[in-house]
Amino acid sequence: MMESMEIDREKAPFTGEENKETKPIVVVLVGLPGSGKSTFSDEVMRISSRPWARVCQDTINNGKSGTKIQCLSVAATALKDGKSVFIDRCNIDREQRADFLKLGGQQTEKHAVVLDHPAKLCISRSVKRTGHEGNLQGGKAAAVVNQMVPKKELPKLSEGFDRITFCHDERDVKEAVNVYGSLSPLDSLPSGCFGQKKSDAKIQLGIMKFLKKVDPSGNAGSDPTVRQKCSPNKLSVGEDTVLQRSKMDSAALEKVGKSNELDITSTSGANSANSIPTLAFPSISTADFQFNLEKASDIIVEKVEEFIGRIGKARLVLVDLSQGSKILSLVKTKAAQKNIDSNKFFTFVGDITRLHSQRGLHCNVIANAANWRLKPGGGGVNAAIFKAAGSALEIATKEKAVSLSPGKSVVVPLPSSSPLFAREGVTHVIHVLGPNMNPMRPDCLKDDYVQGCKILREAYSSLFEGFVSIVRSHGVASIHNSGRPLESGGFQEVIPTNDDQKAKREADYESERSKKYKGLRLDLKSGASSLMDEEKIQDKSVNMTKSWASWAQALHDVAMHPNKHKNVILEISDDVLVMNDAYPKAQRHLLVLARVDGLDSIADICREHVPLLKTMHAVGLKWAVKFLNENKSLSFRLGYHSVPSMRQLHLHVISQDFDSIHLKNKKHWNSFTTPFFLDSVVVIKELEDVGRVTLKDDKCLAMELRCHRCRSAHPNIPRLKSHISSCQAPFSADLLQNGRLVSSTGTDF
DNA sequence: GTTCTAGAAC
DNA sequence: GTTCTAGAAC
């Protein structure tokens, strides 16, 4: 496992220097006439805060069409001025693009944006356009496009591009416009191929075969200059800042053994790599669980040796985030000593959640150094993988198992809805739990390395067994032939739970899953969900109103059945009732409840409720004044939570001392001191003026802790509370005006 | 909404 | 080691 600090280096994963200065970008637009290249660049330039120049061959000669040489010269000038440039010409084949890839040398990023619309569409567009300009007869325009179609050769990373974006429809184009348009002068984009259809490779291959231009394998390796450029032996770490992406990748690749005939192309984003099933795995138990590195590296090599004969052409890759990783170098050395085939097993530096997009290494399976609860969090690889894979992985994991014992693993097919599937091509995650030697962590084995080594061996056996089962059951075919990963072919180890708590969780699991995830299970079951599930899903889609958990019903119950709660009610009428907040967050903290059934929160309010809100405010204000008469040092705000936790519309009347043992966390604080708290007077005014209330996102609740008076920031709740106990700064003018703050010195009464 | 607690932060 | 947060469970 990697430490979380290392995960933080994600943005500059290699040396941390990559992003220090941002290079201008040469964006080579690729597309037929009428594909929208000019529109694309215009759109980006319109919204971008970054300096751009559009180099358009059609207009470069004082509005008339010019030459490629002119384009190169204008582009070079723009780059010298620090501008990024769009090369707005068809750039339909490799040869046309090659010279633009030399622009600015290594000081520029080279991108391609492919506007790959159907030729029919391009023709109809360019016919219209040329008709307008009167340059070409419609028929001629069609002929020009048609002539170009067979020459179309999609760009590849091996040509020297750092990044290629394929757009197949208007939605893709819009997305790409946003991506480039929102780049600030300091931003850079991740390297790699984005949006490529699986069929592209085949079409491309067909064209190439037809033209006999390129090695039909489609490999960049057919280009000797690239191969040489990529030779790991020619690199040293110090060169990284000026290296281009393809070099970075190969530098990141720490091949086991001394051979340098490694198929770099298979790791540079070329399609051929996608066809080799590859398991990327972190070193298990050596980070957080403090397993001895020497022993761990022995076990890794031993287990790799045992399994390497069983995985066919598939590959195992030990991954670590840091360049100087001890475990990588130990394993590398030991694997070389044992002459393990370095094409099938090697070590690799990179973020395991971004091996394809950042490092060009496609791994269809990744291992996760999981925790026993199979839950996100905990830092390191586990946190990173769950974060990168999104909720889809959590749900898919729950489908397979709820806990894991040390030495065991569980194979989880990754739903296509997961970003890891879409971006990285990961089809399976194998969670594996190693032995813990860290006394600070649960289930520590103390120094029992006899037991520890046994469990670590089991862990790798289980992991590799899982990978073997994936390779054997569907392997290559599953990676790209379907829109979603196939179910694992039988292998999985669902761990029987062995203590009461775990057993309880497992028992709860079924009912909980049906409660929480019924709407999401469509992703998991490929149209084969049971009738029962479908009924539940339909129910959910019909009933769109928010459902409230049982604990959130308390206020509703009081409002509907006040007789049952006489002891807590301070005042009651037909419309409203007043009660103390059960967990007051300040010296004085009341709730004024609406007694109408069906008004759960401020989201249900519209103009017709203004009289009710005015009543609630008047009642609340009356109590605030009463409290002020008892203690003139207090001040009050009356307002609603944008998104309340408890059902039944309720107005908070809360003194601004926030002196309470019940105020314990950030959510408490921010729910009363950020825009999440909607002042009653403001809500009423908004309803009267525009007929609806603007709610605030619950992002407010995660904001930093700031004093509500002087706005100073504080690192944690205790420090904040200590500060507010003495801060006497005046409240903001905004609060003092408009009657939002009720105090004895205020203007309200 | 609170309580409980693992694990992050110090 | 203690303090504090944040997520899960209710």
Side-chain angles (χ1 to χ4, degrees):
Chain A
M1 253 200 291
M2 297 170 236
E3 299 294 339
S4 55
M5 266 182 60
E6 292 174 340
I7 290 290
D8 291 341
R9 287 191 220 141
E10 200 170 276
K11 282 187 179 160
F14 194 65
T15 61
E17 293 171 46
E18 194 177 0
N19 290 338
K20 269 190 185 167
E21 56 180 81
T22 308
K23 302 171 181 173
I25 309 172
V26 176
V27 179
V28 177
L29 294 164
V30 177
L32 297 167
S35 59
K37 298 182 294 295
S38 299
T39 312
F40 179 87
S41 14
D42 287 344
E43 280 296 298
V44 172
M45 289 164 79
R46 192 170 60 79
I47 60 173
S48 179
S49 63
R50 186 184 183 117
W52 285 98
R54 177 161 78 94
V55 178
C56 174
Q57 190 163 339
D58 285 343
T59 55
I60 199 164
N61 206 359
N62 290 325
K64 292 179 184 166
S65 73
T67 63
K68 184 174 159 188
I69 308 282
Q70 283 175 304
C71 292
L72 284 163
S73 148
V74 171
T77 309
L79 287 168
K80 274 186 196 142
D81 292 342
K83 292 176 180 167
S84 294
V85 295
F86 287 108
I87 308 301
D88 181 359
R89 58 200 291 281
C90 294
N91 297 309
I92 211 75
D93 64 26
R94 184 188 180 120
E95 205 179 309
Q96 285 187 23
R97 296 186 286 264
D99 287 327
F100 294 97
L101 283 160
K102 294 172 191 156
L103 279 169
Q106 291 169 345
Q107 302 311 313
T108 59
E109 288 234 0
K110 308 298 190 311
H111 293 194
V113 172
V114 184
L115 301 167
D116 193 21
H117 302 306
K120 227 167 74 179
L121 177 65
C122 296
I123 290 168
S124 82
R125 280 181 184 171
S126 58
V127 164
K128 276 181 202 162
R129 189 177 54 184
T130 54
H132 246 275
E133 292 166 6
N135 293 337
L136 275 174
Q137 294 298 320
K140 265 193 183 175
V144 167
V145 176
N146 276 327
Q147 223 175 7
M148 262 187 206
V149 171
K151 293 182 187 160
K152 193 175 87 171
E153 186 182 342
L154 294 174
K156 290 186 296 180
L157 294 174
S158 59
E159 290 176 40
F161 288 110
D162 298 295
R163 177 187 172 97
I164 302 173
T165 308
F166 293 90
C167 301
H168 304 285
D169 54 36
E170 284 309 315
R171 211 183 63 185
D172 293 349
V173 174
K174 205 172 165 189
E175 199 178 321
V177 165
N178 283 334
V179 166
Y180 280 93
S182 56
L183 274 182
S184 82
L186 293 173
D187 289 334
S188 60
L189 290 171
S191 303
C193 278
F194 297 82
Q196 187 166 26
K197 276 185 187 167
K198 61 177 186 283
S199 56
D200 286 342
K202 286 176 196 160
I203 293 166
Q204 189 177 358
L205 194 63
I207 292 168
M208 284 188 235
K209 270 185 180 166
F210 178 71
L211 296 173
K212 293 185 180 149
K213 273 188 177 173
V214 186
D215 174 0
S217 72
N219 282 352
S222 61
D223 177 348
T225 60
V226 172
R227 179 176 280 277
Q228 191 181 11
K229 208 165 79 176
C230 289
S231 167
N233 289 355
K234 301 214 169 186
L235 297 168
S236 71
V237 175
E239 293 175 72
D240 298 336
T241 47
V242 292
L243 289 177
Q244 294 197 17
R245 197 202 70 88
S246 56
K247 291 186 180 179
M248 297 278 293
D249 282 350
S250 53
L253 188 82
E254 292 197 0
K255 198 181 152 220
V256 171
K258 49 184 184 258
S259 162
N260 62 354
E261 291 173 357
L262 177 72
D263 182 15
I264 288 295
T265 60
S266 65
T267 65
S268 64
N271 290 308
S272 61
N274 292 349
S275 61
I276 306 174
T278 305
L279 167 70
F281 65 101
S283 171
I284 304 299
S285 287
T286 48
D288 230 20
F289 286 177
Q290 298 183 357
F291 202 99
N292 176 282
L293 296 180
E294 279 291 344
K295 291 186 168 73
S297 57
D298 282 338
I299 290 170
I300 291 171
V301 174
E302 172 195 321
K303 285 292 158 186
V304 164
E305 200 178 16
E306 184 183 327
F307 277 86
I308 202 114
R310 295 177 52 198
I311 58 170
K313 283 184 179 170
R315 306 181 297 188
L316 304 173
V317 185
L318 176 67
V319 174
D320 197 301
L321 198 53
S322 69
Q323 176 68 23
S325 159
K326 183 98 187 287
I327 189 76
L328 286 198
S329 65
L330 283 170
V331 167
K332 191 173 159 184
T333 308
K334 289 174 183 177
Q337 283 166 2
K338 291 200 169 192
N339 287 321
I340 291 177
D341 182 350
S342 55
N343 286 316
K344 288 168 71 177
F345 174 62
F346 49 90
T347 62
F348 198 84
V349 176
D351 176 347
I352 199 164
T353 67
R354 290 168 183 272
L355 292 173
H356 184 234
S357 59
Q358 288 189 341
R359 288 284 167 262
L361 177 69
H362 182 257
C363 301
N364 59 313
V365 184
I366 62 173
N368 176 32
N371 54 38
W372 72 268
R373 291 157 59 241
L374 291 171
K375 289 280 167 63
V381 168
N382 185 63
I385 289 179
F386 271 105
K387 189 178 167 207
S391 58
L393 176 61
E394 285 176 59
I395 295 162
T397 298
K398 278 196 177 185
E399 290 271 327
K400 290 289 175 190
V402 289
S403 67
L404 205 56
S405 302
K408 306 291 185 187
S409 74
V410 56
V411 175
V412 178
L414 196 58
S416 56
S417 56
S418 168
L420 262 191
F421 183 107
R423 190 188 64 213
E424 307 292 328
V426 174
T427 63
H428 294 75
V429 173
I430 306 180
H431 298 294
V432 51
L433 182 62
N436 173 37
M437 314 310 278
N438 180 351
M440 304 297 285
R441 296 274 178 260
D443 299 327
C444 176
L445 291 171
K446 303 260 168 25
D447 266 334
D448 185 357
Y449 268 99
V450 174
Q451 189 67 9
C453 289
K454 180 171 167 270
I455 295 173
L456 191 61
R457 283 192 179 89
E458 285 172 14
Y460 281 109
S461 290
S462 181
L463 167 63
F464 294 155
E465 202 72 63
F467 181 57
V468 168
S469 79
I470 294 169
V471 171
R472 288 198 177 156
S473 59
H474 34 276
V476 183
S478 75
I479 302 172
H480 286 290
N481 284 357
S482 81
R484 53 179 290 285
L486 301 172
E487 294 292 318
S488 164
F491 172 83
Q492 58 150 325
E493 299 206 33
V494 180
I495 306 312
T497 54
N498 54 6
D499 72 41
D500 287 345
Q501 200 186 4
K502 285 188 206 169
K504 185 173 178 302
R505 283 174 198 210
E506 194 155 31
D508 288 342
Y509 161 57
E510 268 306 321
S511 67
E512 170 149 330
R513 189 185 61 184
S514 59
K515 259 190 287 178
K516 282 192 180 171
Y517 301 110
K518 59 190 176 189
L520 299 168
R521 292 188 72 202
L522 278 174
D523 284 342
L524 302 166
K525 302 275 179 195
S526 54
S529 52
S530 69
L531 183 61
M532 214 174 101
D533 278 341
E534 279 169 6
E535 280 170 355
K536 283 180 189 167
I537 291 158
Q538 279 175 5
D539 280 350
K540 185 153 185 160
S541 64
V542 169
N543 180 12
M544 291 299 285
T545 55
K546 180 178 174 181
S547 63
W548 298 83
S550 57
W551 51 260
Q553 304 285 351
L555 297 180
H556 180 253
D557 202 52
V558 175
M560 295 302 114
H561 310 286
N563 288 340
K564 289 198 291 181
H565 305 276
K566 279 179 187 158
N567 50 338
V568 300
I569 294 173
L570 302 174
E571 178 187 343
I572 186 162
S573 69
D574 288 348
D575 305 321
V576 300
L577 68 77
V578 181
M579 61 185 283
N580 274 312
D581 191 294
Y583 298 90
K585 305 299 185 294
Q587 286 186 41
R588 295 292 188 183
H589 185 184
L590 296 180
L591 303 178
V592 181
L593 269 61
R595 293 198 56 212
V596 189
D597 195 8
L599 285 189
D600 289 340
S601 76
I602 203 75
D604 300 326
I605 293 300
C606 53
R607 206 192 292 267
E608 66 176 277
H609 300 109
V610 166
L612 173 66
L613 296 198
K614 284 188 169 173
T615 303
M616 292 171 74
H617 184 82
V619 172
L621 186 61
K622 184 184 77 184
W623 279 87
V625 170
K626 174 177 142 58
F627 291 140
L628 278 174
N629 286 332
E630 293 167 9
N631 182 351
K632 290 206 161 32
S633 72
L634 297 179
S635 48
F636 285 86
R637 278 177 82 185
L638 285 70
Y640 303 88
H641 283 158
S642 286
V643 185
S645 298
M646 306 287 278
R647 178 184 181 190
Q648 194 65 22
L649 181 69
H650 56 281
L651 172 71
H652 291 270
V653 179
I654 185 165
S655 61
Q656 297 297 296
D657 50 87
F658 295 110
D659 175 12
S660 164
I661 55 161
H662 298 294
L663 199 158
K664 291 176 175 170
N665 60 45
K666 189 180 252 187
K667 183 177 176 180
H668 291 154
W669 178 255
N670 284 339
S671 73
F672 289 104
T673 59
T674 68
F676 186 85
F677 189 82
L678 306 169
D679 288 283
S680 171
V681 285
V682 175
V683 168
I684 291 168
K685 183 155 196 312
E686 216 181 340
L687 280 172
E688 287 178 330
D689 291 350
V690 295
R692 58 188 164 78
V693 188
T694 310
L695 302 181
K696 284 289 182 232
D697 202 68
D698 53 9
K699 273 179 195 141
C700 292
L701 301 178
M703 295 195 329
E704 60 188 342
L705 299 168
R706 284 192 177 275
C707 173
H708 60 314
R709 285 171 170 263
C710 72
R711 308 304 304 163
S712 58
H714 300 270
N716 54 46
I717 288 289
R719 298 266 283 276
L720 172 78
K721 291 180 87 168
S722 153
H723 168 82
I724 60 170
S725 69
S726 60
C727 181
Q728 290 300 316
F731 287 95
S732 75
D734 193 36
L735 272 183
L736 293 169
Q737 292 155 10
N738 310 323
R740 291 167 64 200
L741 192 80
V742 181
S743 68
S744 57
T745 57
T747 53
D748 300 285
F749 61 96

